[in-house]
Amino acid sequence: MTAERQSATRTGEPLDLQMLIETIPAMVVCALPDGSVEFANRAWQEYTGGSLPQVRGSGWQTAIHPDDVRGFVEEWNANLPTGKPFAAEARMRRTDGQYHWFLIRKALAIPPGQGGDSSLRTLIACEDINERKQSEARLRQSENQLQAFFENSPSMIFLKDREGRYLYANHEFKRVRWIIETHINGKTDSELFPIEQALVFQASDRQMLEARVPIE
C-alpha cells in the first residue's frame, strides 16, 4: 500500500472511489463539496506533470491556460452551489509546456459508506478536444477566406433559400442593385426592389429551380 493510500485509510478518504478513478483512462480529479480538489488520478498527474500535493486544493487550476483560468473559475464557482452538471472548454498544459483544448465536465458521485453531505464528491473529467478545436479553427479560417473572396469579387454573388429569401449578397451585388441596406438576410426581392423587377427575379428563380440547371 502506498503512503497516499495509507493516508487515505487513516483520514477516511474514499479509498474505493480513488481506486475506481485510477482505472479510468481519462484525466479525472475528485473535488470536495467546497470545490477544492481531494485527489487526481494517475492519468491527470502524468499529463500535467503535477504531483498529488500540487493538485490538492485549487492547485489543479494552475494547469489551465492563464487566458482561460479566470473565466473557468468564475463559471465553476457560480455553478458549484447548484450541484448541476457542469461543462466548460479550456486549454490545459501538458508536461512539455504545450497547451491542448479540453472539455472539462463534472458530475456528483457518492462513494460507498456515505455519511451525509460531507461524503459527496465531485468527479471532474477532462476530455481532449484539441483536434476538434483545430478543425473548427481551420473551418473558420476557410470560411473567412471564402467570404473575403466573395466580398472583393468584381462579380455579383448572392445566395437564396428555396423560398426566395436572401441568405447572402456580396458588396458588388448591393452596389449594382443600388441596395443601401447593410443586412438583407431574410428579405425577399419584393422587399428590396420595385414590384416589376422583383417579379422578373422571382420568375428567373422559379425557372432555375424547375429546370435544375444553370441559367443566364
Side-chain angles (χ1 to χ4, degrees), residues 199-212 215:
L199 290 174
V200 172
F201 292 157
Q202 291 165 358
S204 177
D205 291 344
R206 284 194 300 272
Q207 180 185 352
M208 183 192 66
L209 289 173
E210 291 171 359
R212 295 180 180 274
I215 63 172

Side-chain angles (χ1 to χ4, degrees), residues 34-205:
D34 63 0
S36 61
V37 164
E38 187 176 26
F39 57 80
N41 70 350
R42 190 172 304 280
W44 171 284
Q45 297 179 56
E46 290 178 350
Y47 183 88
T48 64
S51 64
L52 193 57
Q54 293 172 325
V55 170
R56 286 197 171 111
S58 60
W60 69 285
Q61 296 171 1
T62 60
I64 299 176
H65 194 285
D67 293 342
D68 301 337
V69 67
R70 180 175 179 179
F72 175 84
V73 171
E74 289 177 353
E75 193 171 352
W76 167 263
N77 290 336
N79 182 273
L80 190 62
T82 67
K84 295 180 180 179
F86 167 85
E89 295 180 356
R91 287 164 291 180
M92 296 181 58
R93 186 182 63 250
R94 202 166 54 186
T95 54
D96 60 3
Q98 297 295 316
Y99 284 90
H100 275 207
W101 281 99
F102 278 82
L103 174 61
I104 305 174
R105 296 178 292 184
K106 78 179 183 73
L108 292 180
I110 304 176
Q114 53 186 302
D117 289 344
S118 62
S119 67
L120 291 175
R121 297 295 189 273
T122 301
L123 301 184
I124 307 168
C126 305
E127 177 187 354
D128 193 328
I129 58 171
N130 200 64
E131 185 174 345
R132 191 199 80 191
K133 296 290 285 188
Q134 289 180 338
S135 297
E136 291 174 350
R138 288 193 295 268
L139 179 60
R140 284 194 301 270
Q141 183 181 18
S142 178
E143 290 174 343
N144 291 338
Q145 290 173 340
L146 186 60
Q147 184 170 3
F149 172 78
F150 285 162
E151 285 300 311
N152 292 281
S153 173
S155 302
M156 293 190 298
I157 301 174
F158 65 92
L159 178 67
K160 292 180 181 178
D161 63 16
R162 296 185 65 88
E163 303 300 322
R165 291 183 293 264
Y166 281 91
L167 301 176
Y168 171 78
N170 71 345
H171 174 75
E172 185 65 9
F173 179 89
K174 295 176 184 178
R175 186 189 68 82
V176 173
R177 297 299 185 191
W178 293 84
I179 299 175
I180 60 175
E181 297 182 52
T182 304
H183 301 288
I184 68 172
N185 291 6
K187 295 184 181 296
T188 63
D189 290 318
S190 299
E191 296 173 284
L192 296 171
F193 307 106
I195 185 61
E196 296 83 2
Q197 192 174 18
L199 290 174
V200 172
F201 292 157
Q202 291 165 358
S204 177
D205 291 344

